[in-house]
Amino acid sequence: MKSTALPAVLAASVLAGLFGATASAHADPLNPRDPDYCGNSADILLCAQQQSTYPSAAEMAYLNAIRGQFPPGSEARRLAAGRTACLEFPKHPTGLIVDQVSVYLQIPKPTAGAVVEAARTNICPKVEALG
């Protein structure tokens, strides 16, 4: 092997590792350093709905858990509701979050409660709820 071939091989493997790391990255709605963070947004639901990233594995589990409760259609608003619930758990009582999700998704409160609980269980199980 030529002495110039080894650095080229090493550089290629480092680049492949970097590309693999960025391809597996996803937005974290709870991380203020994430470019899709909505915690300081004036309209947190609108911000969460307009996030440019694809759902993470946890967010896909959330969508799968609630999918049967809705007619087929876009899941952007449902994902926004779940992401927003996770941001709001430490700040507001769960009942208020359920009320807001009910209005936002235009669904009955029992269904909104199931949506909020699915968000807590799947998207942000480690986030402490206010009450």
Side-chain angles (χ1 to χ4, degrees):
M1 188 184 244
K2 289 186 174 182
S3 62
T4 58
L6 183 58
V9 170
L10 287 174
S13 64
V14 168
L15 284 175
L18 288 175
F19 283 123
T22 58
S24 65
H26 61 274
D28 181 355
L30 304 176
N31 181 357
R33 292 185 180 158
D34 192 293
D36 284 333
Y37 178 67
C38 290
N40 297 325
S41 174
D43 186 344
I44 199 165
L45 280 165
L46 181 61
C47 176
Q49 183 178 333
Q50 293 177 343
Q51 286 181 330
S52 60
T53 56
Y54 293 101
S56 67
E59 291 169 340
M60 281 306 300
Y62 156 77
L63 290 171
N64 289 334
I66 66 169
R67 190 169 284 129
Q69 300 177 38
F70 295 93
S74 171
E75 294 183 327
R77 290 176 61 82
R78 297 170 204 156
L79 181 56
R83 287 174 171 170
T84 301
C86 286
L87 290 170
E88 296 297 305
F89 284 139
K91 301 178 205 169
H92 301 289
T94 303
L96 180 61
I97 298 169
V98 169
D99 290 344
Q100 294 299 314
V101 167
S102 174
V103 170
Y104 178 69
L105 295 177
Q106 298 178 355
I107 55 176
K109 285 186 184 179
T111 305
V115 168
V116 169
E117 186 55 34
R120 180 192 327 267
T121 303
N122 293 290
I123 299 176
C124 54
K126 295 180 182 176
V127 173
E128 293 291 326
L130 185 62

